[in-house]
Amino acid sequence: MSSQSEGRPSEARSRLLNTATRLFYAEGIHVVGIDRIVAEAQVTRATLYRHFPGKEDLVLAYLTEVDRAMRGQADEAVAAELPAADTIRALSESIAQGIQSPGFRGCAFLNAAAEYPDPESPVHKAVLAHRQWFLETVTELLAKIQETGAEPAARHFVMMRDGAMAAGCLFDPVLICETFLRGVERLLQVYAVTDYSGPAGA
């Protein structure tokens, strides 16, 4: 009996988070109310508030899950122990696959930033923390090719990734991904043979 009752809150939390993740990503955060999440997760409001004291807590948990998934993709690419350039290619392919997946609606973090523009908002800060991690991850990979210009080149990569994520839900995702991957390849070619200082150097 006690093990069942201990298991129920975890199951309910998972249902709430899975439901919120699906709705927040597909429809937007502000437009989805607590009552809708409670109804579709088939829990009571009391259960929701036991796990997430407010909607903002649920939004932060949603972004944490997306962040964890993206870190997993990056870790998987790095774990293959390929040369750094091939690791970046693998990471880029993973991004392209996500853009072409059913129900793709852009970058969850850029979408959240648009809904929470206040720099002091915990949600906005979570977005910036995720983006800083991603920039640092790409910078570290590029620094293994050559240290000079690693950060400007990483910023260029992130800019291309952001553009592909934004355009991927508006235009033909296959064409967008082809353009993105060609851009990454060109970036790697230029970066490997020049003193890279940014997009103008390409």
Side-chain angles (χ1 to χ4, degrees), residues 16 22 40 55 57 105 111 119 134 151 154 179-180 190 198 201-202:
L16 281 163
R22 173 173 54 82
E40 295 202 19
K55 184 177 178 180
D57 299 284
R105 196 182 158 277
N111 293 347
F134 188 68
E151 187 175 341
T179 304
F180 168 62
V190 173

Side-chain angles (χ1 to χ4, degrees), residues 6-27:
E6 286 174 6
R8 281 190 195 120
S10 177
E11 180 187 346
R13 186 184 189 281
S14 295
R15 285 208 311 274
L16 281 163
L17 187 51
N18 290 340
T19 300
T21 295
R22 173 173 54 82
L23 293 175
F24 287 160
Y25 183 71
E27 300 181 22

